[in-house]
Amino acid sequence: QKAAPVEAAAPVPTAAELWLTHLAVGTVAEHMRGNLEHEWVRRREEAEKAKQKFRSTTRFLMHSVRLTTTVVDAKHDLSVLGDMVRNQKQREETNTHITRVAKCLEQWRVAGRLFLHCRQLYYGILQVQRWWRSWRQWNRDTLARLSRRWDRIQIAIITKEFHKAEETLAELNGKGQDRKPRLPGHSPNA
């Protein structure tokens, strides 16, 4: 008898391989569940919209039948029909307006933040300008006060030097020298 050929045993997966396999399967399952849930929600919303449309159409038809059976006056019929058309148009305009506002808000998600930050910066600059205007008068008054004080100090220093020069001249003239009196710092030929 011949011996049966030995088949190679399948490799045993490691713990890391098993973990990655379970992770991949779990991710795919979660993704599929999300897609199914999204599809269910979408179908439910479509069914709800169809129901609403059917209800409003049914109401409209029932109201029309009631009007034609109960109202005899043609003018009244036309005015009621006009009111119904006007109300329908008003609802459509309101829905359009709501859609536009929603689109605008969606588009301003990023640009709106930038605009608000620029506006905050603008108001911060205005606040600094107001502060500077309020302190500008105080700065002017302080500068004027310091300027007057410095003028008094300069006058006192100049007066002191002038008196000192006069005393020096008086001493020189009192000793009998024939020199012309001169102030210190001036040349004799001036």
Side-chain angles (χ1 to χ4, degrees), residues 28-47:
V28 169
E30 179 64 25
H31 183 69
M32 287 174 63
R33 187 192 63 77
N35 285 345
L36 284 175
E37 187 175 304
H38 177 69
E39 185 64 24
W40 289 337
V41 168
R42 188 181 65 76
R43 285 186 182 174
R44 201 175 312 129
E45 287 174 354
E46 285 177 0

Side-chain angles (χ1 to χ4, degrees), residues 167-179:
E167 288 175 6
T168 306
L169 283 176
E171 286 178 13
L172 289 177
N173 285 338
K175 291 186 178 180
Q177 296 182 1
D178 292 334
R179 284 200 283 172

Side-chain angles (χ1 to χ4, degrees), residues 6 30 40 66 106 109 113 116 125 143 156 158 164:
V6 178
E30 179 64 25
W40 289 337
R66 239 182 282 131
E106 181 67 29
R109 183 183 294 172
R113 285 189 202 135
L116 290 177
I125 290 170
L143 181 63
I158 291 171
K164 201 184 279 186

Side-chain angles (χ1 to χ4, degrees), residues 48-63:
E48 189 63 34
K49 283 181 186 176
K51 258 192 234 176
Q52 290 294 333
K53 190 173 183 182
F54 177 74
R55 284 181 188 155
S56 65
T57 306
T58 306
R59 265 189 252 128
F60 176 75
L61 289 174
M62 288 177 68
H63 191 63

Side-chain angles (χ1 to χ4, degrees), residues 15 20 27 59 83 89 138 152-153 158 163 178 185:
L20 282 174
T27 303
R59 265 189 252 128
D83 288 344
K89 281 195 174 221
W138 180 84
R152 285 194 305 263
I153 291 171
I158 291 171
H163 287 306
D178 292 334

